[in-house]
Amino acid sequence: MKLHSAALLALTTGVATAFTPSFSSINQRSTPTSLNAVSKKDSYDITLLPGDGIGPEIMTATKSVLAALTARCGFELKMTEALIGGAAIDAVNDPFPDESLAQCLSGDSVLLSCIGGYKWDNNPRELRPESGLLKMRKSMGLFANLRPAKVLDQLIDASTLKREVVEGVDVMVVRELTGDVYFGAPKGIDVVDGKRVGYNNMIYSEDEIERIARVAGDVASKRG
């Protein structure tokens, strides 16, 4: 099963970022930047993608947290659910139907839980949950994946690593999602001299490298 942590993805600039409204400036308005991809306002339209497995459970818990956040900070989240992954395959035979894509594009942000499961492992490639995720990334330009790794003092002794190794760890991994072998072409399997030969291409443009580097730089500056 492929799990994807629940996070609000800001779509206005095509950058996948954590949506974190400022407590000190709830009533202020601002223009979008790479660190604040959606202008601050009183209400946001959010598309929910619960997905598969424990995804709906994660979404239910996350909605409770967001309800407390909005009550404290004085803004509203209008949430609409859509299909992705195995749930979408079972419902409409498509891992990310066009209706879901349109719903995601029409709102301010998307909240994705997780997708995948053994049930769909033997499906053809185009009918696997991860194909829906790749379609979502490519169609919406979600090229930046932020993966924080921070050790909490309360849980440090629960780690399989020694305390002196993990104590104080606080890093952010910035991963590119729409280039490289994911979408490199040509690719395939040919028969050469009676034997199958597989090939793929790891391709990045200069612009793709620049934009992911800028996101990493922006995140680093925000983290201090």
Side-chain angles (χ1 to χ4, degrees):
M1 179 180 293
K2 297 182 181 297
L3 300 180
H4 301 271
S5 300
L8 280 169
L9 304 183
L11 306 180
T12 304
T13 61
V15 182
T17 62
F19 174 76
T20 52
S22 171
F23 285 15
S24 61
S25 56
I26 295 304
N27 295 318
Q28 296 179 10
R29 299 294 182 265
S30 63
T31 56
T33 69
S34 57
L35 291 182
N36 179 28
V38 179
S39 297
K40 292 179 181 177
K41 51 187 179 179
D42 295 327
S43 179
Y44 301 87
D45 293 320
I46 311 298
T47 298
L48 305 181
L49 300 174
D52 311 317
I54 63 172
E57 181 181 351
I58 293 173
M59 190 65 72
T60 298
T62 304
K63 287 166 65 175
S64 297
V65 174
L66 290 175
L69 175 67
T70 55
R72 176 176 178 180
C73 298
F75 65 95
E76 180 184 6
L77 296 180
K78 298 178 181 178
M79 304 182 186
T80 304
E81 290 196 5
L83 294 169
I84 192 173
I89 294 171
D90 290 348
V92 296
N93 203 40
D94 187 334
F96 190 54
D98 290 340
E99 293 81 2
S100 294
L101 174 59
Q103 179 65 44
C104 290
L105 291 173
S106 68
D108 294 302
S109 295
V110 176
L111 181 59
L112 169 65
S113 190
C114 62
I115 64 165
Y118 298 117
K119 177 180 180 180
W120 305 280
D121 279 353
N122 294 323
N123 284 11
R125 174 62 61 183
E126 67 274 12
L127 289 178
R128 293 184 184 178
E130 55 268 27
S131 295
L133 187 63
L134 292 178
K135 177 183 175 181
M136 178 184 180
R137 291 174 181 171
K138 192 68 173 179
S139 300
M140 301 178 69
L142 301 177
F143 66 88
N145 179 213
L146 307 184
R147 297 196 172 193
K150 183 174 183 178
V151 177
L152 302 178
D153 292 339
Q154 299 91 329
L155 299 176
I156 194 168
D157 291 321
S159 172
T160 56
L161 300 176
K162 294 181 179 180
R163 171 182 284 267
E164 57 267 28
V165 174
V166 297
E167 189 169 22
V169 169
D170 183 4
V171 298
M172 177 71 78
V173 177
V174 181
R175 177 188 175 205
E176 206 283 334
L177 292 178
T178 60
D180 200 41
V181 296
Y182 276 126
F183 302 100
K187 59 184 175 182
I189 299 177
D190 293 339
V191 177
V192 179
D193 297 330
K195 297 181 179 180
R196 291 185 300 166
V197 177
Y199 56 95
N200 213 327
N201 279 278
M202 301 175 65
I203 300 174
Y204 277 115
S205 69
E206 184 176 349
D207 289 343
E208 288 175 320
I209 297 297
E210 180 179 355
R211 68 182 183 179
I212 193 68
R214 286 186 179 276
V215 170
D218 285 347
V219 170
S221 66
K222 186 177 181 181
R223 286 166 55 85

